[in-house]
Every structure is written in C-alpha cells, then in structure tokens.
Amino acid sequence: MQYVGAPYVWKPQLMADSISTASQNCAVVASGVAYCMGIGKFYKYDGRTQTLRCDLRQHIFQDFNTDQYAQVFAGTNEEFNEVWWFYCSKDSTTVDRYAIYNYGEDIWYYGSMVRTAWLDSGLRNYPMGATAANNVVYHELGVDDNTTEEPTPNSALNSKAELDLDERDHYVFVWRIQPDIT
C-alpha cells in the first residue's frame, strides 16, 4: 500500500512481479529493508525489489524439504546486522536448519539448530528462540545452549582450508578471522 493522501489515503501499488515467497512468515524487516526467502532465491526490498546474491544458495536449496515450505520463518538479530531464515532440511519435517544473511558485511552463513519461533532483542536484552520441546532460550548469552536443565555446552565446529600461494615468493595478508562465537 502506498500513501496517497485524501480522500483514499492508501492505494495498492504493484512493487514487483514474478517473485515468490516460501511462506507467510518468510519475510522480515531489518534496518528499514524487507528481506524474504522465495522459492529457490532470496529477495530484498529497499524501495525496489532485488534478488539477493547468495553464495550458499545451492547448498541451502539442495538440502531443503520443499514439502515443508509453509514452516519457513524469518527473524532478525539486528545487533549483529543479521537476517535469519529457519527451514526444514531435505529429510526432516521439522525446522532444523538456518541460513543467515549479514547485511552489514554482505556475507552468508548457515547451520543446524531446531527452533520453532524467534524474537529479536527489541523487548529483551538478548534474542529469544523456542525449541521443539517448547522451551524458550536466550541467544548470545553465556556458553550454555539452554536446551536442557543440565548445563550443556554449545557445540562448535572448527574447520581449516589449505591455501596455495603458487611459488614461494608470494605472501598472503589475513585481514580478519571471524569465529561464530562470542
């Protein structure tokens, strides 16, 4: 709807066509920009509709249960400039994967986590998520995953990659290493 003033005040206006949405909960607004997961693509609307470049697109949509599109939901973690999408992996009927777009740095990351709801930290000090066991847990707080009454450490994945610099007379400068932990 676009504001047009009196006497009608609001008027519907087509902003884009030939786009798709994964579900009724797959869109979210962060820093004044709307982000959406579509069928096989991601979009953003900042005054015009654009397809988001996604380095993980093939990885995400090849491990996606297309029968469960209705379960896709989006959330934000604006403290870290992140938009999150939660979805079902190929062999699952419950939400067990996520994809994150960091709009501040224009990078993507992904992982496995069971969440059925998400609320950013606008009302609380930390983002909150709901687990499949109907527990509400805080994110970005402490080193416990808060999914059981017994303290359970967060799982971590460390990986490495070889870097070939051709001959011995070449050097590399590492600008930043960004772990996914606090």
Side-chain angles (χ1 to χ4, degrees), residues 63-99:
D63 184 29
F64 196 101
N65 187 340
T66 57
D67 292 335
Q68 301 300 323
Y69 267 118
Q71 291 194 57
V72 172
F73 68 96
T76 62
N77 189 347
E78 289 203 57
E79 180 179 354
F80 296 104
N81 302 317
E82 295 173 342
V83 175
W84 292 58
W85 286 277
F86 295 90
Y87 61 94
C88 301
S89 62
K90 187 176 225 61
D91 298 322
S92 179
T93 57
T94 58
V95 174
D96 63 346
R97 298 276 194 273
Y98 64 87

PDB file of all heavy atoms in Angstrom, residues 63-99:
ATOM      1  N   ASP A  63      19.420 -28.930   0.102  1.00  0.00           N
ATOM      2  CA  ASP A  63      19.114 -29.627   1.348  1.00  0.00           C
ATOM      3  C   ASP A  63      17.863 -28.996   1.966  1.00  0.00           C
ATOM      4  O   ASP A  63      17.868 -28.548   3.101  1.00  0.00           O
ATOM      5  CB  ASP A  63      20.295 -29.546   2.313  1.00  0.00           C
ATOM      6  CG  ASP A  63      20.053 -30.335   3.578  1.00  0.00           C
ATOM      7  OD1 ASP A  63      19.319 -31.341   3.532  1.00  0.00           O
ATOM      8  OD2 ASP A  63      20.574 -29.943   4.639  1.00  0.00           O
ATOM      9  N   PHE A  64      16.786 -28.944   1.196  1.00  0.00           N
ATOM     10  CA  PHE A  64      15.577 -28.243   1.593  1.00  0.00           C
ATOM     11  C   PHE A  64      14.376 -29.143   1.328  1.00  0.00           C
ATOM     12  O   PHE A  64      14.215 -29.654   0.229  1.00  0.00           O
ATOM     13  CB  PHE A  64      15.459 -26.964   0.747  1.00  0.00           C
ATOM     14  CG  PHE A  64      14.497 -25.961   1.289  1.00  0.00           C
ATOM     15  CD1 PHE A  64      14.951 -24.857   1.981  1.00  0.00           C
ATOM     16  CD2 PHE A  64      13.134 -26.112   1.104  1.00  0.00           C
ATOM     17  CE1 PHE A  64      14.063 -23.914   2.474  1.00  0.00           C
ATOM     18  CE2 PHE A  64      12.235 -25.192   1.596  1.00  0.00           C
ATOM     19  CZ  PHE A  64      12.702 -24.083   2.287  1.00  0.00           C
ATOM     20  N   ASN A  65      13.541 -29.335   2.333  1.00  0.00           N
ATOM     21  CA  ASN A  65      12.333 -30.135   2.161  1.00  0.00           C
ATOM     22  C   ASN A  65      11.249 -29.245   1.552  1.00  0.00           C
ATOM     23  O   ASN A  65      10.597 -28.470   2.254  1.00  0.00           O
ATOM     24  CB  ASN A  65      11.867 -30.716   3.491  1.00  0.00           C
ATOM     25  CG  ASN A  65      10.721 -31.683   3.325  1.00  0.00           C
ATOM     26  OD1 ASN A  65      10.015 -31.675   2.321  1.00  0.00           O
ATOM     27  ND2 ASN A  65      10.523 -32.536   4.323  1.00  0.00           N
ATOM     28  N   THR A  66      11.060 -29.352   0.256  1.00  0.00           N
ATOM     29  CA  THR A  66      10.117 -28.473  -0.444  1.00  0.00           C
ATOM     30  C   THR A  66       8.661 -28.725  -0.043  1.00  0.00           C
ATOM     31  O   THR A  66       7.818 -27.870  -0.268  1.00  0.00           O
ATOM     32  CB  THR A  66      10.273 -28.610  -1.972  1.00  0.00           C
ATOM     33  OG1 THR A  66      10.086 -29.979  -2.336  1.00  0.00           O
ATOM     34  CG2 THR A  66      11.648 -28.145  -2.418  1.00  0.00           C
ATOM     35  N   ASP A  67       8.367 -29.882   0.553  1.00  0.00           N
ATOM     36  CA  ASP A  67       7.015 -30.138   1.046  1.00  0.00           C
ATOM     37  C   ASP A  67       6.725 -29.341   2.318  1.00  0.00           C
ATOM     38  O   ASP A  67       5.579 -29.280   2.760  1.00  0.00           O
ATOM     39  CB  ASP A  67       6.819 -31.625   1.340  1.00  0.00           C
ATOM     40  CG  ASP A  67       6.835 -32.476   0.077  1.00  0.00           C
ATOM     41  OD1 ASP A  67       6.515 -31.930  -1.002  1.00  0.00           O
ATOM     42  OD2 ASP A  67       7.175 -33.664   0.176  1.00  0.00           O
ATOM     43  N   GLN A  68       7.760 -28.754   2.922  1.00  0.00           N
ATOM     44  CA  GLN A  68       7.607 -28.049   4.197  1.00  0.00           C
ATOM     45  C   GLN A  68       7.848 -26.538   4.076  1.00  0.00           C
ATOM     46  O   GLN A  68       8.225 -25.888   5.037  1.00  0.00           O
ATOM     47  CB  GLN A  68       8.566 -28.651   5.235  1.00  0.00           C
ATOM     48  CG  GLN A  68       8.356 -30.118   5.496  1.00  0.00           C
ATOM     49  CD  GLN A  68       6.963 -30.425   6.020  1.00  0.00           C
ATOM     50  OE1 GLN A  68       6.398 -29.658   6.795  1.00  0.00           O
ATOM     51  NE2 GLN A  68       6.405 -31.545   5.600  1.00  0.00           N
ATOM     52  N   TYR A  69       7.653 -25.983   2.880  1.00  0.00           N
ATOM     53  CA  TYR A  69       7.836 -24.537   2.707  1.00  0.00           C
ATOM     54  C   TYR A  69       7.018 -23.728   3.711  1.00  0.00           C
ATOM     55  O   TYR A  69       7.445 -22.676   4.172  1.00  0.00           O
ATOM     56  CB  TYR A  69       7.450 -24.105   1.288  1.00  0.00           C
ATOM     57  CG  TYR A  69       8.616 -24.072   0.327  1.00  0.00           C
ATOM     58  CD1 TYR A  69       8.630 -24.899  -0.791  1.00  0.00           C
ATOM     59  CD2 TYR A  69       9.686 -23.213   0.521  1.00  0.00           C
ATOM     60  CE1 TYR A  69       9.689 -24.872  -1.683  1.00  0.00           C
ATOM     61  CE2 TYR A  69      10.751 -23.176  -0.360  1.00  0.00           C
ATOM     62  CZ  TYR A  69      10.744 -23.999  -1.462  1.00  0.00           C
ATOM     63  OH  TYR A  69      11.788 -23.971  -2.332  1.00  0.00           O
ATOM     64  N   ALA A  70       5.836 -24.196   4.064  1.00  0.00           N
ATOM     65  CA  ALA A  70       4.959 -23.446   4.964  1.00  0.00           C
ATOM     66  C   ALA A  70       5.580 -23.216   6.340  1.00  0.00           C
ATOM     67  O   ALA A  70       5.178 -22.300   7.064  1.00  0.00           O
ATOM     68  CB  ALA A  70       3.619 -24.162   5.112  1.00  0.00           C
ATOM     69  N   GLN A  71       6.587 -24.027   6.724  1.00  0.00           N
ATOM     70  CA  GLN A  71       7.216 -23.874   8.030  1.00  0.00           C
ATOM     71  C   GLN A  71       8.348 -22.846   8.042  1.00  0.00           C
ATOM     72  O   GLN A  71       8.863 -22.521   9.107  1.00  0.00           O
ATOM     73  CB  GLN A  71       7.756 -25.218   8.512  1.00  0.00           C
ATOM     74  CG  GLN A  71       6.683 -26.212   8.859  1.00  0.00           C
ATOM     75  CD  GLN A  71       7.252 -27.374   9.632  1.00  0.00           C
ATOM     76  OE1 GLN A  71       7.862 -27.190  10.675  1.00  0.00           O
ATOM     77  NE2 GLN A  71       7.078 -28.567   9.100  1.00  0.00           N
ATOM     78  N   VAL A  72       8.749 -22.353   6.907  1.00  0.00           N
ATOM     79  CA  VAL A  72       9.846 -21.379   6.851  1.00  0.00           C
ATOM     80  C   VAL A  72       9.442 -20.118   7.606  1.00  0.00           C
ATOM     81  O   VAL A  72       8.333 -19.615   7.448  1.00  0.00           O
ATOM     82  CB  VAL A  72      10.191 -21.016   5.387  1.00  0.00           C
ATOM     83  CG1 VAL A  72      11.178 -19.864   5.333  1.00  0.00           C
ATOM     84  CG2 VAL A  72      10.728 -22.230   4.657  1.00  0.00           C
ATOM     85  N   PHE A  73      10.348 -19.627   8.460  1.00  0.00           N
ATOM     86  CA  PHE A  73      10.098 -18.341   9.105  1.00  0.00           C
ATOM     87  C   PHE A  73      11.401 -17.564   9.209  1.00  0.00           C
ATOM     88  O   PHE A  73      12.487 -18.130   9.151  1.00  0.00           O
ATOM     89  CB  PHE A  73       9.404 -18.500  10.467  1.00  0.00           C
ATOM     90  CG  PHE A  73      10.225 -19.140  11.540  1.00  0.00           C
ATOM     91  CD1 PHE A  73      10.934 -18.374  12.459  1.00  0.00           C
ATOM     92  CD2 PHE A  73      10.278 -20.525  11.654  1.00  0.00           C
ATOM     93  CE1 PHE A  73      11.674 -18.971  13.465  1.00  0.00           C
ATOM     94  CE2 PHE A  73      11.007 -21.129  12.662  1.00  0.00           C
ATOM     95  CZ  PHE A  73      11.718 -20.345  13.571  1.00  0.00           C
ATOM     96  N   ALA A  74      11.260 -16.258   9.306  1.00  0.00           N
ATOM     97  CA  ALA A  74      12.410 -15.358   9.326  1.00  0.00           C
ATOM     98  C   ALA A  74      12.472 -14.613  10.651  1.00  0.00           C
ATOM     99  O   ALA A  74      11.465 -14.444  11.336  1.00  0.00           O
ATOM    100  CB  ALA A  74      12.311 -14.365   8.171  1.00  0.00           C
ATOM    101  N   GLY A  75      13.654 -14.157  10.992  1.00  0.00           N
ATOM    102  CA  GLY A  75      13.863 -13.349  12.188  1.00  0.00           C
ATOM    103  C   GLY A  75      15.090 -12.484  11.993  1.00  0.00           C
ATOM    104  O   GLY A  75      15.812 -12.622  11.001  1.00  0.00           O
ATOM    105  N   THR A  76      15.321 -11.599  12.933  1.00  0.00           N
ATOM    106  CA  THR A  76      16.495 -10.738  12.852  1.00  0.00           C
ATOM    107  C   THR A  76      17.316 -10.835  14.130  1.00  0.00           C
ATOM    108  O   THR A  76      16.815 -11.235  15.180  1.00  0.00           O
ATOM    109  CB  THR A  76      16.104  -9.260  12.661  1.00  0.00           C
ATOM    110  OG1 THR A  76      15.344  -8.826  13.787  1.00  0.00           O
ATOM    111  CG2 THR A  76      15.312  -9.053  11.392  1.00  0.00           C
ATOM    112  N   ASN A  77      18.562 -10.473  14.011  1.00  0.00           N
ATOM    113  CA  ASN A  77      19.442 -10.213  15.141  1.00  0.00           C
ATOM    114  C   ASN A  77      20.154  -8.919  14.768  1.00  0.00           C
ATOM    115  O   ASN A  77      21.270  -8.934  14.282  1.00  0.00           O
ATOM    116  CB  ASN A  77      20.415 -11.365  15.363  1.00  0.00           C
ATOM    117  CG  ASN A  77      21.193 -11.220  16.653  1.00  0.00           C
ATOM    118  OD1 ASN A  77      21.195 -10.165  17.274  1.00  0.00           O
ATOM    119  ND2 ASN A  77      21.862 -12.282  17.058  1.00  0.00           N
ATOM    120  N   GLU A  78      19.448  -7.806  14.948  1.00  0.00           N
ATOM    121  CA  GLU A  78      19.934  -6.525  14.436  1.00  0.00           C
ATOM    122  C   GLU A  78      21.209  -6.047  15.119  1.00  0.00           C
ATOM    123  O   GLU A  78      21.957  -5.273  14.541  1.00  0.00           O
ATOM    124  CB  GLU A  78      18.831  -5.471  14.506  1.00  0.00           C
ATOM    125  CG  GLU A  78      17.746  -5.755  13.471  1.00  0.00           C
ATOM    126  CD  GLU A  78      16.944  -4.536  13.092  1.00  0.00           C
ATOM    127  OE1 GLU A  78      17.540  -3.546  12.647  1.00  0.00           O
ATOM    128  OE2 GLU A  78      15.720  -4.597  13.243  1.00  0.00           O
ATOM    129  N   GLU A  79      21.482  -6.521  16.318  1.00  0.00           N
ATOM    130  CA  GLU A  79      22.745  -6.140  16.972  1.00  0.00           C
ATOM    131  C   GLU A  79      23.939  -6.563  16.122  1.00  0.00           C
ATOM    132  O   GLU A  79      24.962  -5.904  16.091  1.00  0.00           O
ATOM    133  CB  GLU A  79      22.836  -6.775  18.355  1.00  0.00           C
ATOM    134  CG  GLU A  79      24.124  -6.422  19.078  1.00  0.00           C
ATOM    135  CD  GLU A  79      24.224  -7.033  20.463  1.00  0.00           C
ATOM    136  OE1 GLU A  79      23.259  -7.653  20.939  1.00  0.00           O
ATOM    137  OE2 GLU A  79      25.302  -6.892  21.071  1.00  0.00           O
ATOM    138  N   PHE A  80      23.802  -7.680  15.413  1.00  0.00           N
ATOM    139  CA  PHE A  80      24.883  -8.191  14.577  1.00  0.00           C
ATOM    140  C   PHE A  80      24.578  -8.042  13.082  1.00  0.00           C
ATOM    141  O   PHE A  80      25.206  -8.700  12.263  1.00  0.00           O
ATOM    142  CB  PHE A  80      25.169  -9.651  14.921  1.00  0.00           C
ATOM    143  CG  PHE A  80      25.672  -9.826  16.335  1.00  0.00           C
ATOM    144  CD1 PHE A  80      24.835 -10.322  17.314  1.00  0.00           C
ATOM    145  CD2 PHE A  80      26.964  -9.466  16.671  1.00  0.00           C
ATOM    146  CE1 PHE A  80      25.281 -10.472  18.616  1.00  0.00           C
ATOM    147  CE2 PHE A  80      27.424  -9.607  17.970  1.00  0.00           C
ATOM    148  CZ  PHE A  80      26.584 -10.110  18.951  1.00  0.00           C
ATOM    149  N   ASN A  81      23.576  -7.231  12.728  1.00  0.00           N
ATOM    150  CA  ASN A  81      23.203  -6.984  11.325  1.00  0.00           C
ATOM    151  C   ASN A  81      22.829  -8.262  10.595  1.00  0.00           C
ATOM    152  O   ASN A  81      23.226  -8.472   9.453  1.00  0.00           O
ATOM    153  CB  ASN A  81      24.336  -6.272  10.572  1.00  0.00           C
ATOM    154  CG  ASN A  81      24.710  -4.963  11.203  1.00  0.00           C
ATOM    155  OD1 ASN A  81      23.850  -4.191  11.589  1.00  0.00           O
ATOM    156  ND2 ASN A  81      26.003  -4.710  11.322  1.00  0.00           N
ATOM    157  N   GLU A  82      22.048  -9.121  11.246  1.00  0.00           N
ATOM    158  CA  GLU A  82      21.725 -10.429  10.677  1.00  0.00           C
ATOM    159  C   GLU A  82      20.235 -10.593  10.416  1.00  0.00           C
ATOM    160  O   GLU A  82      19.404 -10.153  11.204  1.00  0.00           O
ATOM    161  CB  GLU A  82      22.163 -11.544  11.628  1.00  0.00           C
ATOM    162  CG  GLU A  82      23.649 -11.623  11.824  1.00  0.00           C
ATOM    163  CD  GLU A  82      24.034 -12.615  12.895  1.00  0.00           C
ATOM    164  OE1 GLU A  82      23.173 -13.006  13.729  1.00  0.00           O
ATOM    165  OE2 GLU A  82      25.218 -12.997  12.921  1.00  0.00           O
ATOM    166  N   VAL A  83      19.940 -11.265   9.300  1.00  0.00           N
ATOM    167  CA  VAL A  83      18.604 -11.754   8.994  1.00  0.00           C
ATOM    168  C   VAL A  83      18.707 -13.273   8.972  1.00  0.00           C
ATOM    169  O   VAL A  83      19.577 -13.833   8.315  1.00  0.00           O
ATOM    170  CB  VAL A  83      18.115 -11.231   7.629  1.00  0.00           C
ATOM    171  CG1 VAL A  83      16.780 -11.850   7.272  1.00  0.00           C
ATOM    172  CG2 VAL A  83      18.018  -9.713   7.630  1.00  0.00           C
ATOM    173  N   TRP A  84      17.820 -13.944   9.701  1.00  0.00           N
ATOM    174  CA  TRP A  84      17.828 -15.395   9.825  1.00  0.00           C
ATOM    175  C   TRP A  84      16.619 -15.982   9.116  1.00  0.00           C
ATOM    176  O   TRP A  84      15.521 -15.429   9.195  1.00  0.00           O
ATOM    177  CB  TRP A  84      17.731 -15.807  11.292  1.00  0.00           C
ATOM    178  CG  TRP A  84      18.907 -15.499  12.153  1.00  0.00           C
ATOM    179  CD1 TRP A  84      19.459 -14.279  12.394  1.00  0.00           C
ATOM    180  CD2 TRP A  84      19.638 -16.427  12.943  1.00  0.00           C
ATOM    181  NE1 TRP A  84      20.493 -14.401  13.282  1.00  0.00           N
ATOM    182  CE2 TRP A  84      20.629 -15.704  13.629  1.00  0.00           C
ATOM    183  CE3 TRP A  84      19.544 -17.800  13.127  1.00  0.00           C
ATOM    184  CZ2 TRP A  84      21.526 -16.323  14.488  1.00  0.00           C
ATOM    185  CZ3 TRP A  84      20.432 -18.408  13.989  1.00  0.00           C
ATOM    186  CH2 TRP A  84      21.423 -17.679  14.650  1.00  0.00           C
ATOM    187  N   TRP A  85      16.822 -17.123   8.457  1.00  0.00           N
ATOM    188  CA  TRP A  85      15.705 -17.924   7.939  1.00  0.00           C
ATOM    189  C   TRP A  85      15.848 -19.329   8.498  1.00  0.00           C
ATOM    190  O   TRP A  85      16.917 -19.939   8.435  1.00  0.00           O
ATOM    191  CB  TRP A  85      15.718 -17.988   6.406  1.00  0.00           C
ATOM    192  CG  TRP A  85      15.286 -16.729   5.772  1.00  0.00           C
ATOM    193  CD1 TRP A  85      13.996 -16.322   5.552  1.00  0.00           C
ATOM    194  CD2 TRP A  85      16.116 -15.690   5.257  1.00  0.00           C
ATOM    195  NE1 TRP A  85      13.990 -15.093   4.935  1.00  0.00           N
ATOM    196  CE2 TRP A  85      15.277 -14.687   4.746  1.00  0.00           C
ATOM    197  CE3 TRP A  85      17.495 -15.509   5.177  1.00  0.00           C
ATOM    198  CZ2 TRP A  85      15.761 -13.529   4.164  1.00  0.00           C
ATOM    199  CZ3 TRP A  85      17.984 -14.348   4.609  1.00  0.00           C
ATOM    200  CH2 TRP A  85      17.115 -13.369   4.104  1.00  0.00           C
ATOM    201  N   PHE A  86      14.781 -19.848   9.059  1.00  0.00           N
ATOM    202  CA  PHE A  86      14.750 -21.202   9.599  1.00  0.00           C
ATOM    203  C   PHE A  86      13.913 -22.058   8.660  1.00  0.00           C
ATOM    204  O   PHE A  86      12.842 -21.631   8.211  1.00  0.00           O
ATOM    205  CB  PHE A  86      14.132 -21.189  10.999  1.00  0.00           C
ATOM    206  CG  PHE A  86      14.958 -20.430  12.004  1.00  0.00           C
ATOM    207  CD1 PHE A  86      14.763 -19.075  12.203  1.00  0.00           C
ATOM    208  CD2 PHE A  86      15.926 -21.075  12.747  1.00  0.00           C
ATOM    209  CE1 PHE A  86      15.520 -18.365  13.119  1.00  0.00           C
ATOM    210  CE2 PHE A  86      16.689 -20.385  13.684  1.00  0.00           C
ATOM    211  CZ  PHE A  86      16.486 -19.025  13.863  1.00  0.00           C
ATOM    212  N   TYR A  87      14.376 -23.280   8.395  1.00  0.00           N
ATOM    213  CA  TYR A  87      13.686 -24.145   7.424  1.00  0.00           C
ATOM    214  C   TYR A  87      13.964 -25.609   7.730  1.00  0.00           C
ATOM    215  O   TYR A  87      14.819 -25.939   8.550  1.00  0.00           O
ATOM    216  CB  TYR A  87      14.119 -23.808   5.992  1.00  0.00           C
ATOM    217  CG  TYR A  87      15.589 -23.997   5.723  1.00  0.00           C
ATOM    218  CD1 TYR A  87      16.070 -25.193   5.187  1.00  0.00           C
ATOM    219  CD2 TYR A  87      16.509 -23.002   5.997  1.00  0.00           C
ATOM    220  CE1 TYR A  87      17.417 -25.371   4.938  1.00  0.00           C
ATOM    221  CE2 TYR A  87      17.862 -23.170   5.749  1.00  0.00           C
ATOM    222  CZ  TYR A  87      18.306 -24.360   5.220  1.00  0.00           C
ATOM    223  OH  TYR A  87      19.658 -24.540   4.976  1.00  0.00           O
ATOM    224  N   CYS A  88      13.231 -26.489   7.061  1.00  0.00           N
ATOM    225  CA  CYS A  88      13.392 -27.938   7.228  1.00  0.00           C
ATOM    226  C   CYS A  88      14.406 -28.462   6.216  1.00  0.00           C
ATOM    227  O   CYS A  88      14.300 -28.163   5.028  1.00  0.00           O
ATOM    228  CB  CYS A  88      12.063 -28.656   7.002  1.00  0.00           C
ATOM    229  SG  CYS A  88      10.745 -28.150   8.109  1.00  0.00           S
ATOM    230  N   SER A  89      15.339 -29.278   6.701  1.00  0.00           N
ATOM    231  CA  SER A  89      16.279 -29.909   5.778  1.00  0.00           C
ATOM    232  C   SER A  89      15.560 -30.982   4.966  1.00  0.00           C
ATOM    233  O   SER A  89      14.432 -31.371   5.277  1.00  0.00           O
ATOM    234  CB  SER A  89      17.462 -30.511   6.535  1.00  0.00           C
ATOM    235  OG  SER A  89      17.020 -31.522   7.411  1.00  0.00           O
ATOM    236  N   LYS A  90      16.216 -31.465   3.961  1.00  0.00           N
ATOM    237  CA  LYS A  90      15.611 -32.388   2.986  1.00  0.00           C
ATOM    238  C   LYS A  90      14.915 -33.586   3.632  1.00  0.00           C
ATOM    239  O   LYS A  90      13.837 -33.983   3.218  1.00  0.00           O
ATOM    240  CB  LYS A  90      16.687 -32.872   2.017  1.00  0.00           C
ATOM    241  CG  LYS A  90      16.143 -33.704   0.873  1.00  0.00           C
ATOM    242  CD  LYS A  90      17.266 -34.058  -0.070  1.00  0.00           C
ATOM    243  CE  LYS A  90      16.963 -33.900  -1.482  1.00  0.00           C
ATOM    244  NZ  LYS A  90      16.607 -32.703  -2.104  1.00  0.00           N
ATOM    245  N   ASP A  91      15.503 -34.174   4.681  1.00  0.00           N
ATOM    246  CA  ASP A  91      14.949 -35.381   5.288  1.00  0.00           C
ATOM    247  C   ASP A  91      14.184 -35.102   6.583  1.00  0.00           C
ATOM    248  O   ASP A  91      13.924 -36.024   7.360  1.00  0.00           O
ATOM    249  CB  ASP A  91      16.073 -36.385   5.563  1.00  0.00           C
ATOM    250  CG  ASP A  91      16.768 -36.820   4.280  1.00  0.00           C
ATOM    251  OD1 ASP A  91      16.068 -36.990   3.262  1.00  0.00           O
ATOM    252  OD2 ASP A  91      18.000 -36.978   4.290  1.00  0.00           O
ATOM    253  N   SER A  92      13.821 -33.860   6.827  1.00  0.00           N
ATOM    254  CA  SER A  92      13.160 -33.508   8.079  1.00  0.00           C
ATOM    255  C   SER A  92      11.781 -32.900   7.816  1.00  0.00           C
ATOM    256  O   SER A  92      11.562 -32.248   6.802  1.00  0.00           O
ATOM    257  CB  SER A  92      14.026 -32.501   8.849  1.00  0.00           C
ATOM    258  OG  SER A  92      13.387 -32.135  10.047  1.00  0.00           O
ATOM    259  N   THR A  93      10.890 -33.113   8.764  1.00  0.00           N
ATOM    260  CA  THR A  93       9.575 -32.470   8.685  1.00  0.00           C
ATOM    261  C   THR A  93       9.439 -31.396   9.758  1.00  0.00           C
ATOM    262  O   THR A  93       8.368 -30.816   9.917  1.00  0.00           O
ATOM    263  CB  THR A  93       8.439 -33.502   8.839  1.00  0.00           C
ATOM    264  OG1 THR A  93       8.609 -34.192  10.076  1.00  0.00           O
ATOM    265  CG2 THR A  93       8.432 -34.476   7.672  1.00  0.00           C
ATOM    266  N   THR A  94      10.505 -31.156  10.505  1.00  0.00           N
ATOM    267  CA  THR A  94      10.528 -30.068  11.482  1.00  0.00           C
ATOM    268  C   THR A  94      11.707 -29.151  11.168  1.00  0.00           C
ATOM    269  O   THR A  94      12.721 -29.590  10.615  1.00  0.00           O
ATOM    270  CB  THR A  94      10.660 -30.596  12.923  1.00  0.00           C
ATOM    271  OG1 THR A  94      11.855 -31.365  13.027  1.00  0.00           O
ATOM    272  CG2 THR A  94       9.472 -31.454  13.308  1.00  0.00           C
ATOM    273  N   VAL A  95      11.579 -27.908  11.542  1.00  0.00           N
ATOM    274  CA  VAL A  95      12.626 -26.921  11.275  1.00  0.00           C
ATOM    275  C   VAL A  95      13.900 -27.319  12.010  1.00  0.00           C
ATOM    276  O   VAL A  95      13.891 -27.497  13.226  1.00  0.00           O
ATOM    277  CB  VAL A  95      12.163 -25.513  11.717  1.00  0.00           C
ATOM    278  CG1 VAL A  95      13.282 -24.513  11.594  1.00  0.00           C
ATOM    279  CG2 VAL A  95      10.957 -25.083  10.901  1.00  0.00           C
ATOM    280  N   ASP A  96      14.978 -27.501  11.255  1.00  0.00           N
ATOM    281  CA  ASP A  96      16.245 -27.915  11.859  1.00  0.00           C
ATOM    282  C   ASP A  96      17.466 -27.240  11.236  1.00  0.00           C
ATOM    283  O   ASP A  96      18.597 -27.540  11.590  1.00  0.00           O
ATOM    284  CB  ASP A  96      16.399 -29.433  11.779  1.00  0.00           C
ATOM    285  CG  ASP A  96      16.454 -29.954  10.350  1.00  0.00           C
ATOM    286  OD1 ASP A  96      16.114 -29.209   9.411  1.00  0.00           O
ATOM    287  OD2 ASP A  96      16.846 -31.124  10.169  1.00  0.00           O
ATOM    288  N   ARG A  97      17.270 -26.308  10.325  1.00  0.00           N
ATOM    289  CA  ARG A  97      18.385 -25.614   9.673  1.00  0.00           C
ATOM    290  C   ARG A  97      18.117 -24.111   9.672  1.00  0.00           C
ATOM    291  O   ARG A  97      16.985 -23.663   9.791  1.00  0.00           O
ATOM    292  CB  ARG A  97      18.539 -26.061   8.217  1.00  0.00           C
ATOM    293  CG  ARG A  97      18.857 -27.514   8.026  1.00  0.00           C
ATOM    294  CD  ARG A  97      20.364 -27.746   8.153  1.00  0.00           C
ATOM    295  NE  ARG A  97      20.736 -29.062   7.666  1.00  0.00           N
ATOM    296  CZ  ARG A  97      20.729 -30.164   8.387  1.00  0.00           C
ATOM    297  NH1 ARG A  97      20.345 -30.124   9.637  1.00  0.00           N
ATOM    298  NH2 ARG A  97      21.098 -31.311   7.862  1.00  0.00           N
ATOM    299  N   TYR A  98      19.192 -23.359   9.514  1.00  0.00           N
ATOM    300  CA  TYR A  98      19.046 -21.918   9.366  1.00  0.00           C
ATOM    301  C   TYR A  98      20.056 -21.395   8.362  1.00  0.00           C
ATOM    302  O   TYR A  98      21.107 -21.992   8.134  1.00  0.00           O
ATOM    303  CB  TYR A  98      19.207 -21.187  10.709  1.00  0.00           C
ATOM    304  CG  TYR A  98      20.583 -21.312  11.328  1.00  0.00           C
ATOM    305  CD1 TYR A  98      21.615 -20.424  10.996  1.00  0.00           C
ATOM    306  CD2 TYR A  98      20.855 -22.299  12.261  1.00  0.00           C
ATOM    307  CE1 TYR A  98      22.867 -20.536  11.567  1.00  0.00           C
ATOM    308  CE2 TYR A  98      22.104 -22.417  12.842  1.00  0.00           C
ATOM    309  CZ  TYR A  98      23.108 -21.529  12.494  1.00  0.00           C
ATOM    310  OH  TYR A  98      24.353 -21.645  13.063  1.00  0.00           O
ATOM    311  N   ALA A  99      19.704 -20.280   7.757  1.00  0.00           N
ATOM    312  CA  ALA A  99      20.615 -19.535   6.886  1.00  0.00           C
ATOM    313  C   ALA A  99      20.586 -18.099   7.383  1.00  0.00           C
ATOM    314  O   ALA A  99      19.525 -17.573   7.728  1.00  0.00           O
ATOM    315  CB  ALA A  99      20.147 -19.599   5.432  1.00  0.00           C
TER     316      ALA A  99
END
